[in-house]
Amino acid sequence: MATPLLRTKLYIPPVQPELVSRPRLIERLNTGLHRKLTLVSAPAGFGKTTLLSAWVKERVEVRDGRLDGAQSHQSPIFSRRSPKFAWLSLDENDNDPTRFWAYFTAALQTIHDDLGKATLTMLQSPRPPPIEPLLTDLINEITGIPYPLVLVLDDYHVITTRSIHNALAFLLEHMPPNMHLIIATRADPPLSLARRRASREIIELRADVLRFTSDETAAFLNDVMELGLSAEDIAALETRTEGWIAGLQMAALSMQGRQDVVAFIKAFSGSHRFILDYLVEEVLDRQSSDVREFLLKTSILERMTGPLCDAVLEIGDRRLEIEPSDNQSPISNPQSQYPSQEMLEHLERANLFVIPLDDERRWYRYHHLFADLLRNQLALTYPDQVSCLHQRASEWFEEEGFVEETIAHAFAAQDYGRAARLVEKYARDLLHQSKYNILASWLEALPKGLVQTRPWLCVYQAWTRHWTGTREGGEECLENAEQVLSGLPLSGEPEEQSKELVSISEEERRVISGYIATVRAHYALTNEEIPRVLEQAQKALRLLPEDDYFTRGTAAIALGGAYWGMGDVSGAEQAFAECASNAIKGDYPYRASSALCYVGMQQVKQARLLKAQETFREALALSQGPGRRRFPNAGYPLVKLSELACEWNDLERARHDADDGVKLCTQLGHVDLMAEAYAALARVQLAQRDLAGVRDTLQRTDQLLQGTKVDPWIVCWLDDCRLRLWLSTEDLEAAVRWARTSGLSADGEFSYHHDLHHINLTRVLVAQGMQQPSGPFLEEALRLLARLLEAAEAAGWIHETIKVLILQALALQAYGDSQRALAALTRALKLAEPGGYVRIFIDEGAPMGTLLRQALARRIAVDYVGKLLSMFRSDLQLSTLQPETLIEPLSERELEVLRFLTTSLSSTEIAQELFISVNTVRSHIKSIYGKLDVHRRRDAVQRARELGLL
């Protein structure tokens, strides 16, 4: 069921009739309409919301013909037709991206009912898709609106979620010309403001222009507040407040009814914080006891309505004592049937920092700054009642169906028992929807002792910790669950324990034990304990109900991982396939999607790349909603499709899928999948010669994995990327350091679970051997490669077999054994050709190019080798290591001449070495210079080395 949206967040705040006119700022806002963004940024209390609501009101009156207004300095679109306005008041709960964009879309619908209807439906679905595709659709819809529109995002400083900032930046980049965005905030948002200033996309209003001028201060104090102050008193207040509107307003409230105004002004000094503390006390002390109590106790609420406040205060039929501070007639509200409703209307009339959120005066909120101060006073005045107030609010929100607010107030009330019951109630649904991060935050907020007494919470905590990467303590959670089930005393400090253990049935005991075994199997897989994985996964499958397809599928994935770690590619593929099939039966498409990705990975190991592509596409389809909108679970199949596209040298497609995959895997929050996504991105960046990008990606991965342990094969893949980066930049020393600290040795035992990590060690040995052909490295590499070849073939890992054969060929070539090198290469080509492998060859650089040319000369796999060589040449030309490109590939004879250019031999001596004429040598040298775009021998050698030709 979709979470209901609070419509009051979408109301444009009404304008108070007693308002200081600010035409200089209104004109600046009008001028800003010809740009994409208006930023109103200033500390609290500078009148940002009031200014914008007054401007909107004036623009609406101009549009409707009730007021004359200028149209100067506006874009043609905004000049031809007056815009329509939408408003969104933000709060901290809007840091959830799905909630933020749901409200964003709903705000636009206040302008045009059908705008974003499909988008809002998707956002409110149980598994909402990623934001960017939805924004694309929304942008296209806005483009079709026949009039300009303006959206105000108020209090944007409460938004701290990076993905929301990124998505809003995407919107700004592609925003249609008939839309204008206004952001009101206390802090600058991370939206590339400097670049937008340079491109004249933004107009800004900051504290220096928002603060009251001398005239505006006088108008406020004497005309609006009717204080009758002298020019000297006004100047003194202006100096002390520096035009800070909230400070002036609280000073004015404190001065109402005072006889000693001059003395008050003289004593009115200090920083904003001290002024604020003093004035709030002064304001509160001048209210009746009921008003003061109401202000303090309702300050726990982000938004207020009569029934909610009545429930929080437990007013019942009691009437509140109200002593108005003004002589205005009461606001008539025929809907008012609650005592708190009358109080809210009074607070509005008295200018006590309460803001109506709708025209019917049903919902209100306090000025944020005032609310913060009221909460401080509440903690001092009623310290023993704060929890009770939150508890009543939680109960009211639960009855109204607002789950997030219900749980938030339960935690604020420190009613952890109730919070625990709520978390238990919704945890399984969150697991099924992959909302591990939300569930984890709730579980970690509960007291440890309370979690320990509830086996389900222990299991969920272990599960979410494994998912999010905070894996320390996971086994302790599972042991606590088992101790509760067995009735044993719990570990931990006595004061942390709950006095009662939950009671559970025998059937539930069996199910919980199945869950425990499932989670434990995954921890064992990460910890490289293959026998334990088999034991726990099989135990889980015995204990779990046959119709619990989701959890049984989770256990089956661990089982498949164990077969992988044993080198049983057929067993792994079968286990993953059964998991996918059962997940589809149970209508858990995202579980089926991840299982299919593992199936495809086993198919890649068998070099069945086309079949793997088909499998990954099936997995992607299961992670998409209507209109091919992608859920976060689509990130993993996209990463796998990226790897295939990269291998086939479709680098544009590979980069696109890798970037999207990283974004979606990050949204999903699974640390292993995020690490795999980064590894895939790094591979593509290496192929594109984006070495700075590779470094950044690997650095982000290191930060992600700091202090956590991931599946062992991921470590192997990341190390492969690091080694290729170092060797591509001729940093052999870094590669050698890695080899020395890796824990691997040429005579060490191999691990399928680590994806035959020793292949990386051989790469370092081969690189050392190429630099020192007479040293021991090549012989050591060849001995290790012979063992690796046997292990890869025994497992049926054709993909790894190809890798080993390629390294064998390179090592033998460097060793001077061309015949055996070509034999190894021939075997690799035969195994790789059916899958259309490309990058696995050309990533090896110039030495592989030489081998391929020799193979072509001997008519080995002519068509396939010819294709590889053509891509090899293109790959050199695509290199971003230098701005120039190789105009035309060098011929075999030119390459021979080029090698002699590195020596001190003259043209005549080169001719004698090659048994050709001097004129022919000179002709080749001229051709080499032309193709390398150089004019001197030294430059030719340097250029050839840059291109990997030497």
Side-chain angles (χ1 to χ4, degrees):
M1 182 180 69
T3 303
L5 297 178
L6 195 62
R7 307 303 299 180
T8 54
K9 287 167 62 70
L10 312 179
Y11 286 107
I12 299 173
V15 178
Q16 297 292 339
E18 308 86 7
L19 187 68
V20 175
S21 176
R22 313 193 75 184
R24 61 187 179 89
L25 300 183
I26 296 295
E27 177 57 23
R28 291 193 64 162
L29 290 171
N30 288 335
T31 302
L33 287 175
H34 75 286
R35 303 185 183 181
K36 286 186 175 183
L37 173 65
T38 295
L39 178 66
V40 185
S41 179
F46 274 88
K48 300 180 290 294
T49 300
T50 301
L51 170 66
L52 289 172
S53 61
W55 172 68
V56 170
K57 178 176 182 290
E58 180 176 310
R59 293 290 310 190
V60 170
E61 290 177 346
V62 169
R63 184 191 67 203
D64 297 343
R66 289 174 283 158
L67 186 71
D68 293 331
Q71 301 290 325
S72 61
H73 301 102
Q74 296 176 36
S75 67
I77 291 177
F78 283 80
S79 296
R80 286 194 300 269
R81 299 192 63 179
S82 294
K84 294 190 176 182
F85 294 86
W87 192 286
L88 173 56
S89 297
L90 298 166
D91 57 55
E92 291 180 352
N93 290 326
D94 297 321
N95 273 290
D96 175 43
T98 300
R99 176 185 169 106
F100 177 93
W101 291 109
Y103 272 109
F104 187 98
T105 306
L108 292 176
Q109 287 181 348
T110 63
I111 295 177
H112 193 284
D113 290 343
D114 294 330
L115 181 58
K117 183 174 291 185
T119 299
L120 188 57
T121 300
M122 291 298 298
L123 286 167
Q124 293 182 314
S125 64
R127 292 188 290 270
I131 300 302
E132 192 166 298
L134 294 181
L135 283 183
T136 301
D137 293 344
L138 188 61
I139 289 168
N140 291 335
E141 288 188 55
I142 293 171
T143 304
I145 299 298
Y147 43 77
L149 55 91
V150 176
L151 172 61
V152 178
L153 298 180
D154 196 16
D155 290 327
Y156 189 79
H157 55 270
V158 302
I159 302 301
T160 57
T161 302
R162 169 62 59 177
S163 61
I164 295 179
H165 297 317
N166 292 342
L168 192 63
F170 173 86
L171 174 72
L172 283 168
E173 291 298 327
H174 304 283
M175 197 162 65
N178 63 326
M179 181 176 180
H180 183 78
L181 185 66
I182 298 178
I183 293 178
T185 177
R186 294 182 187 176
D188 285 357
L191 296 175
S192 303
L193 298 181
R195 178 171 60 82
R196 300 189 190 283
R197 293 185 192 108
S199 58
R200 299 180 62 80
E201 295 179 4
I202 183 174
I203 189 169
E204 300 172 75
L205 282 74
R206 297 188 172 274
D208 58 339
V209 298
L210 289 172
R211 68 178 78 247
F212 270 171
T213 64
S214 299
D215 290 341
E216 289 168 343
T217 301
F220 172 73
L221 294 172
N222 285 344
D223 297 340
V224 175
M225 303 304 292
E226 300 180 348
L227 293 175
L229 301 179
S230 67
E232 183 180 354
D233 292 337
I234 293 172
L237 272 178
E238 182 191 3
T239 299
R240 286 168 172 80
T241 62
E242 299 181 70
W244 183 43
I245 300 171
L248 284 168
Q249 185 173 8
M250 285 186 284
L253 287 170
S254 298
M255 285 188 289
Q256 285 182 332
R258 276 186 177 273
Q259 302 299 319
D260 54 345
V261 170
V262 174
F264 172 84
I265 294 174
K266 288 181 179 180
F268 185 73
S269 63
S271 69
H272 286 176
R273 181 169 62 88
F274 295 118
I275 293 172
L276 218 55
D277 290 343
Y278 178 79
L279 289 178
V280 168
E281 292 173 8
E282 286 292 308
V283 171
L284 289 176
D285 285 347
R286 293 179 176 275
Q287 308 305 315
S288 69
S289 60
D290 278 357
V291 171
R292 191 163 53 247
E293 180 182 1
F294 184 94
L295 289 169
L296 296 180
K297 291 184 177 180
T298 58
S299 66
I300 66 164
L301 304 171
E302 294 293 333
R303 288 168 182 79
M304 302 169 289
T305 189
L308 172 59
C309 293
D310 282 355
V312 169
L313 298 172
E314 288 190 327
I315 290 178
D317 296 329
R318 178 169 62 90
R319 310 309 295 179
L320 296 173
E321 176 190 353
I322 297 174
E323 297 177 0
S325 60
D326 55 51
N327 296 320
Q328 300 178 25
S329 59
I331 298 176
S332 175
N333 185 349
Q335 302 297 327
S336 177
Q337 52 182 313
Y338 303 96
S340 294
Q341 188 68 34
E342 296 178 5
M343 176 63 77
L344 290 169
E345 293 172 359
H346 161 70
L347 296 179
E348 181 189 5
R349 293 195 306 272
N351 292 322
L352 285 175
F353 299 98
V354 66
I355 301 169
L357 297 174
D358 54 38
D359 295 336
E360 291 79 19
R361 263 56 176 188
R362 292 178 179 174
W363 284 90
Y364 294 82
R365 70 169 176 87
Y366 289 120
H367 184 284
H368 294 315
L369 179 60
F370 191 52
D372 291 340
L373 297 169
L374 289 176
R375 290 177 192 128
N376 291 335
Q377 293 296 312
L378 173 66
L380 294 172
T381 308
Y382 302 105
D384 298 333
Q385 297 186 35
V386 175
S387 294
C388 184
L389 296 172
H390 280 292
Q391 188 172 29
R392 295 169 191 164
S394 178
E395 292 169 355
W396 188 89
F397 278 117
E398 184 179 18
E399 291 178 2
E400 298 299 317
F402 292 95
V403 175
E404 291 182 15
E405 290 82 353
T406 299
I407 296 177
H409 281 289
F411 275 110
Q414 299 183 1
D415 187 354
Y416 297 119
R418 187 165 182 273
R421 291 191 297 274
L422 290 168
V423 172
E424 273 189 334
K425 179 179 180 180
Y426 293 103
R428 197 170 301 186
D429 290 339
L430 290 167
L431 287 176
H432 295 169
Q433 298 169 23
S434 298
K435 294 184 178 180
Y436 288 81
N437 290 334
I438 296 175
L439 179 57
S441 67
W442 287 344
L443 288 165
E444 299 303 328
L446 289 169
K448 181 179 179 180
L450 181 58
V451 174
Q452 288 176 330
T453 64
R454 293 177 170 270
W456 276 119
L457 291 183
C458 292
V459 173
Y460 292 142
Q461 189 169 57
W463 197 325
T464 56
R465 284 181 175 181
H466 186 275
W467 181 282
T468 58
T470 54
R471 290 167 177 170
E472 292 296 325
E475 177 60 29
E476 179 185 353
C477 295
L478 298 177
E479 291 175 354
N480 285 332
E482 289 177 323
Q483 289 173 348
V484 174
L485 292 177
S486 63
L488 295 175
L490 297 177
S491 60
E493 296 298 326
E495 60 268 21
E496 291 181 343
Q497 308 297 327
S498 173
K499 293 182 179 180
E500 297 180 2
L501 300 180
V502 296
S503 60
I504 53 177
S505 66
E506 286 300 320
E507 175 60 26
E508 191 174 6
R509 285 175 184 269
R510 180 183 179 87
V511 174
I512 293 175
S513 296
Y515 270 68
I516 291 172
T518 299
V519 178
R520 185 167 277 148
H522 280 272
Y523 274 94
L525 188 63
T526 301
N527 293 331
E528 307 171 39
E529 301 168 345
I530 299 299
R532 186 170 173 81
V533 179
L534 295 172
E535 172 197 350
Q536 293 298 317
Q538 291 166 353
K539 177 181 178 181
L541 293 174
R542 289 195 307 270
L543 294 173
L544 292 168
E546 290 294 329
D547 60 352
D548 189 352
Y549 296 109
F550 179 86
T551 314
R552 292 180 67 86
T554 305
I557 284 181
L559 191 61
Y563 292 139
W564 180 342
M566 296 163 61
D568 183 357
V569 69
S570 298
E573 182 178 355
Q574 181 179 354
F576 293 137
E578 289 178 359
C579 170
S581 176
N582 288 330
I584 291 173
K585 287 181 184 177
D587 194 25
Y588 297 114
Y590 101 85
R591 168 57 74 222
S593 174
S594 60
L596 284 173
C597 286
Y598 292 123
V599 171
M601 292 163 72
Q602 302 310 302
Q603 292 165 346
V604 168
K605 289 197 167 297
Q606 301 168 68
R608 298 157 58 199
L609 301 195
L610 293 174
K611 181 61 178 176
Q613 182 187 45
E614 180 183 326
T615 302
F616 293 144
R617 285 177 174 172
E618 184 181 353
L620 180 61
L622 288 169
S623 300
Q624 296 179 150
R628 301 181 68 180
R629 290 188 173 92
R630 292 169 177 169
F631 301 119
N633 305 91
Y636 200 35
L638 280 173
V639 165
K640 296 305 160 186
L641 287 168
S642 166
E643 291 173 344
L644 290 180
C646 183
E647 181 56 50
W648 290 327
N649 207 35
D650 185 355
L651 299 186
E652 184 178 353
R653 167 52 57 187
R655 183 59 180 266
H656 181 273
D657 286 348
D659 286 337
D660 286 352
V662 166
K663 292 177 184 176
L664 293 173
C665 286
T666 301
Q667 290 181 23
L668 195 61
H670 193 309
V671 65
D672 295 302
L673 304 192
M674 292 167 66
E676 284 195 47
Y678 282 135
L681 176 60
R683 287 194 189 105
V684 180
Q685 291 169 327
L686 281 166
Q688 294 177 321
R689 306 293 197 273
D690 180 10
L691 302 187
V694 179
R695 293 188 185 95
D696 178 67
T697 297
L698 292 176
Q699 184 178 13
R700 284 191 287 166
T701 309
D702 290 340
Q703 292 172 351
L704 170 71
L705 301 184
Q706 190 172 13
T708 192
K709 191 174 183 180
V710 294
D711 292 327
W713 58 81
I714 301 174
V715 176
C716 174
W717 299 345
L718 291 169
D719 283 344
D720 174 69
C721 293
R722 290 188 181 92
L723 290 172
R724 291 180 184 274
L725 172 64
W726 292 328
L727 295 176
S728 68
T729 56
E730 300 183 1
D731 190 358
L732 181 58
E733 184 179 346
V736 172
R737 281 198 306 270
W738 171 87
R740 289 172 179 166
T741 59
S742 66
L744 303 175
S745 66
D747 299 323
E749 184 179 353
F750 296 154
S751 170
Y752 291 114
H753 202 191
H754 283 262
D755 226 43
L756 293 180
H757 201 2
H758 280 75
I759 293 175
N760 287 329
L761 179 60
T762 63
R763 182 171 298 283
V764 179
L765 292 172
V766 171
Q768 288 178 290
M770 288 181 174
Q771 191 173 83
Q772 302 178 40
S774 60
F777 305 112
L778 289 176
E779 290 186 0
E780 188 176 0
L782 288 169
R783 287 196 302 271
L784 179 55
L785 286 165
R787 294 177 56 220
L788 282 167
L789 182 60
E790 183 179 348
E793 289 177 332
W797 286 12
I798 301 176
H799 183 82
E800 281 68 27
T801 300
I802 297 170
K803 285 184 178 181
V804 172
L805 286 169
I806 288 173
L807 286 170
Q808 258 189 351
L810 293 172
L812 289 166
Q813 180 193 40
Y815 197 67
D817 192 342
S818 297
Q819 185 175 353
R820 290 176 62 198
L822 282 174
L825 178 62
T826 301
R827 288 189 61 193
L829 290 167
K830 184 178 180 180
L831 293 173
E833 185 173 7
Y837 282 88
V838 176
R839 296 299 320 183
I840 204 169
F841 292 99
I842 65 177
D843 281 343
E844 300 301 337
M848 176 54 65
T850 300
L851 271 174
L852 289 173
R853 283 190 291 271
Q854 292 174 4
L856 187 62
R858 289 163 177 75
R859 310 298 296 172
I860 298 172
V862 175
D863 292 340
Y864 186 34
V865 172
K867 175 184 176 183
L868 291 175
L869 282 172
S870 67
M871 291 190 176
F872 201 102
R873 298 184 189 104
S874 299
D875 191 60
L876 285 176
Q877 293 173 6
L878 287 172
S879 172
T880 58
L881 293 177
Q882 63 285 322
E884 300 83 15
T885 60
L886 191 61
I887 300 171
E888 182 182 346
L890 301 183
S891 67
E892 289 292 335
R893 179 62 81 179
E894 288 168 346
L895 286 168
E896 289 180 316
V897 173
L898 176 64
R899 295 187 189 99
F900 281 104
L901 295 183
T902 64
T903 70
S904 59
L905 297 179
S906 65
S907 297
T908 301
E909 291 169 327
I910 293 173
Q912 291 172 352
E913 291 288 332
L914 295 175
F915 301 100
I916 57 177
S917 69
V918 175
N919 287 336
T920 300
V921 170
R922 288 171 178 165
S923 176
H924 284 316
I925 292 174
K926 182 179 179 181
S927 177
I928 290 170
Y929 286 179
K931 291 180 179 181
L932 296 180
D933 193 22
V934 297
H935 303 285
R936 294 184 300 176
R937 181 170 180 164
R938 183 177 61 186
D939 293 339
V941 172
Q942 180 180 350
R943 181 80 172 101
R945 283 176 173 157
E946 290 175 349
L947 291 170
L949 298 176
L950 291 173

